Amino acid sequence: MLIRMRPFQRVGKEIAFGYKTDLRFQSKAIVALHEAAEEYLVGVMAHAMMCALHGGRKLLIMKDIALARRIHGPDSV
């Protein structure tokens, strides 16, 4: 895992508590969310790198990440 567990857990719970305050999480649920989030982010970054290489660059720019997110689409989560 690239993202540390405790910071991810804090952010995940903060987001969830924005929707409903009386929530509890099993440790397996947090791990599953963590793995899914990292897999999604790695996929977007890989596509963004392909966009940068296609553009003749070796450095990612925001335009590449925006295009990769658009290619991934909302249904890929």
Side-chain angles (χ1 to χ4, degrees):
M1 295 292 183
L2 300 173
I3 303 171
R4 292 195 175 128
M5 182 56 103
R6 295 293 294 166
F8 179 82
Q9 186 176 5
R10 272 193 303 260
V11 170
K13 285 184 176 183
E14 182 180 320
I15 291 169
F17 291 151
Y19 293 102
K20 190 174 181 183
T21 56
D22 58 342
L23 295 174
R24 295 175 61 184
F25 293 91
Q26 291 182 348
S27 60
K28 289 180 182 181
I30 296 289
V31 170
L33 284 171
H34 191 183
E35 289 177 3
E38 284 212 11
E39 185 177 336
Y40 176 77
L41 288 172
V42 168
V44 169
M45 291 305 227
H47 282 118
M49 195 63 214
M50 285 186 214
C51 293
L53 291 173
H54 180 73
R57 296 181 313 277
K58 294 182 181 178
L59 186 68
L60 283 178
I61 57 175
M62 287 300 296
K63 191 167 62 169
D64 300 322
I65 296 171
L67 179 58
R69 287 184 65 199
R70 191 169 173 197
I71 290 169
H72 253 244
D75 298 333
S76 67
V77 177

